Amino acid sequence: MKKIENITIHRNCNYGSVLQTYATQVTFEELGFECETIDFIRELDTKRGALKRLKKKSKKLASNPILLAGAKAVMLISYLKKEKTFNAFLSNHVNLSQKAYHSNQELKDNIPNADAYCTGSDQIWNSFWNEGVEPAYYLDFVPEGAFCFSYASSIGQKIADSEKNTISAQLKKYSYLSVRESQSVKSLNDLGYENVVQVLDPTLYRTNEVWDRLASNKFKNRKFVVTYNLHHDKTLDSYAQKLAQAKGLELLNISYNWHDIIRPGKLVWCPSVEEYLGLIRDAEYVIADSFHATAFSIQFHKKFISFYPEKASMRIRDILSKLDIPQRGTKGEVTIRDIEKDIDYETIDKKLNAYRVQDKAYLEKVCNSLRIE
């Protein structure tokens, strides 16, 4: 059995990141390959890195050492809980390389052995989130002549002029390129790469039977509105509170941070990945500013509204547009009547299935080429 080594963002303690990693693995296994995720752990994705970056979040923290130390003490508790939650899911469900790598150079010094190398999904080519071009995510470490391809990689924004030459040079090693967003296709086309395929995020390529099996039943007997507010949007919280009150429902808030207990409703502090899926599946309404919460709301046929975050809305806008439901996204001007409007999920499922057929054609093309290598 041939082996694919996949590099992706899986250690940054995020529900979407670990679930897309799992979905990618399941997909390649279904296609007849062994799939292993390279355990690439940047400092950026650790609690140490997160604590270092706290001072960048506000001028007050940067200029006041005592305030910064207090903030670190508060956040450390949440970071420890996050690591425990997501490491448990990775240990139980994802095939990780035995060796952990912490830099592109470490990967070069001890290259994971495989028949092919894949740059996977999530915002792996987003230089804003990665704080620059991360060469490992462009498979800079692989041996010359190795079989390289991407699967649903995300750029998440326009490529900066200062990075175009570097990125273009890195992509020359790829035999096949696929990305998630239409803007990402255009960005790579502008660099001279014509045969770029747009595909679904791996969590949407898998049908919801996969996610229903994985989801916890812990919240199944409760009637509630659930929020997932990554960007601390007060408008989102206010809307959710009004909706829950109007409908006589409990308000549950998924958050990584224990201090979000001050928000309206009841805090569900860093639930397990399985509980996260169950909370979305079993909610009466879902209100979020997250791409993957949007994706799972669609998978589970929920009534939902997605608030566009200021700096990372492209992915949400793109999937809502592809499925002809742009009205489910908002900058904040939304009423209870808007979330109550029926969604034609029969038509949406047909559209998703058509996109899945296209994605399967891309994946089979890649895999057939790999089989004859």
Side-chain angles (χ1 to χ4, degrees), residues 3-7 38 101 103-120 134-150 169-175:
K3 181 180 181 182
I4 296 171
E5 285 284 351
N6 180 45
I7 192 165
I38 297 171
Y101 302 86
S103 69
N104 185 54
Q105 189 58 51
E106 283 189 20
L107 282 159
K108 284 185 173 182
D109 292 341
N110 194 349
I111 301 169
N113 185 42
D115 299 288
Y117 298 87
C118 174
T119 295
E134 172 52 68
Y137 288 153
Y138 289 88
L139 302 176
D140 182 64
F141 59 89
V142 303
E144 187 174 348
F147 189 102
C148 300
F149 68 100
S150 70
Q170 289 280 11
L171 292 176
K172 288 179 180 178
K173 65 175 73 68
Y174 286 76
S175 299

Side-chain angles (χ1 to χ4, degrees), residues 279-312:
L279 281 159
I280 294 176
R281 181 195 63 190
D282 298 328
E284 301 296 317
Y285 302 90
V286 181
I287 305 167
D289 60 355
S290 150
F291 169 80
H292 282 104
T294 301
F296 288 115
S297 295
I298 293 167
Q299 288 276 37
F300 289 128
H301 292 185
K302 308 312 298 184
K303 288 188 175 181
F304 74 96
I305 287 289
S306 292
F307 280 64
Y308 294 133
E310 184 179 349
K311 293 183 178 178

Side-chain angles (χ1 to χ4, degrees), residues 2 4 24 27-34 115-116 118 147 149 151 176 205 359-373:
K2 289 196 171 184
I4 296 171
T24 298
T27 294
F28 287 128
E29 288 175 343
E30 187 180 81
L31 288 163
F33 294 86
E34 178 185 354
D115 299 288
C118 174
F147 189 102
F149 68 100
Y151 175 43
Y176 298 94
Y205 179 69
D359 293 4
K360 188 174 183 180
Y362 169 78
L363 289 165
E364 288 185 338
K365 185 176 181 180
V366 171
C367 291
N368 287 338
S369 294
L370 177 55
R371 290 186 183 101
I372 62 175
E373 276 281 308

Side-chain angles (χ1 to χ4, degrees), residues 15-290:
Y15 294 105
S17 293
V18 296
L19 286 167
Q20 63 82 20
T21 301
Y22 172 73
T24 298
Q25 174 183 297
V26 170
T27 294
F28 287 128
E29 288 175 343
E30 187 180 81
L31 288 163
F33 294 86
E34 178 185 354
C35 180
E36 183 175 84
T37 297
I38 297 171
D39 202 10
F40 181 56
I41 311 171
R42 308 169 296 169
E43 185 180 67
L44 193 65
D45 295 328
T46 66
K47 60 180 177 294
R48 177 187 175 93
L51 289 170
K52 276 186 176 180
R53 293 198 307 280
L54 273 180
K55 64 182 178 182
K56 296 180 181 179
K57 292 185 179 291
S58 81
K59 292 180 180 179
K60 284 185 179 180
L61 292 179
S63 61
N64 189 324
I66 296 174
L67 193 61
L68 179 60
K72 286 183 177 181
V74 169
M75 294 305 299
L76 179 60
I77 299 169
S78 294
Y79 292 152
L80 289 169
K81 177 75 179 289
K82 284 170 67 176
E83 282 193 349
K84 182 179 179 181
T85 295
F86 293 101
N87 288 348
F89 181 84
L90 291 169
S91 296
N92 291 332
H93 296 287
V94 176
N95 300 325
L96 296 173
S97 61
Q98 288 188 348
K99 179 176 175 55
Y101 302 86
H102 301 89
S103 69
N104 185 54
Q105 189 58 51
E106 283 189 20
L107 282 159
K108 284 185 173 182
D109 292 341
N110 194 349
I111 301 169
N113 185 42
D115 299 288
Y117 298 87
C118 174
T119 295
S121 184
D122 218 348
Q123 298 199 63
I124 195 160
W125 288 340
N126 187 327
S127 296
F128 174 77
W129 294 117
N130 292 329
E131 298 183 356
V133 175
E134 172 52 68
Y137 288 153
Y138 289 88
L139 302 176
D140 182 64
F141 59 89
V142 303
E144 187 174 348
F147 189 102
C148 300
F149 68 100
S150 70
Y151 175 43
S153 302
S154 177
I155 299 172
Q157 59 180 1
K158 292 183 179 180
I159 298 173
D161 290 341
S162 60
E163 296 175 344
K164 286 181 177 179
N165 289 338
T166 300
I167 291 173
S168 182
Q170 289 280 11
L171 292 176
K172 288 179 180 178
K173 65 175 73 68
Y174 286 76
S175 299
Y176 298 94
L177 287 167
S178 70
V179 293
R180 286 195 315 203
E181 305 93 4
S182 54
Q183 176 59 53
S184 296
V185 173
K186 184 178 184 305
S187 293
L188 296 190
N189 288 164
D190 290 344
L191 293 182
Y193 293 91
E194 296 298 327
N195 297 318
V196 182
V197 178
Q198 184 181 5
V199 297
L200 295 169
D201 181 88
T203 60
L204 283 169
Y205 179 69
R206 309 310 314 180
T207 59
N208 77 338
E209 285 81 2
V210 171
W211 309 121
D212 190 49
R213 287 196 302 268
L214 202 57
S216 165
N217 291 324
K218 181 177 179 178
F219 300 90
K220 205 169 185 68
N221 295 323
R222 294 165 71 170
K223 299 292 185 181
F224 59 93
V225 175
V226 71
T227 73
Y228 185 44
N229 189 352
L230 288 174
H231 300 87
H232 307 101
D233 187 335
K234 291 182 179 179
T235 306
L236 189 158
D237 279 344
S238 176
Y239 176 72
Q241 184 178 32
K242 289 176 183 176
L243 175 66
Q245 289 173 346
K247 299 296 180 181
L249 299 170
E250 190 177 10
L251 176 58
L252 302 180
N253 302 310
I254 301 169
S255 177
Y256 301 119
N257 303 315
W258 70 268
H259 57 271
D260 276 342
I261 196 168
I262 64 173
R263 289 171 50 198
K266 182 175 180 180
L267 172 66
V268 185
W269 180 31
C270 204
S272 70
V273 176
E274 294 84 354
E275 288 169 355
Y276 164 84
L277 288 171
L279 281 159
I280 294 176
R281 181 195 63 190
D282 298 328
E284 301 296 317
Y285 302 90
V286 181
I287 305 167
D289 60 355
S290 150

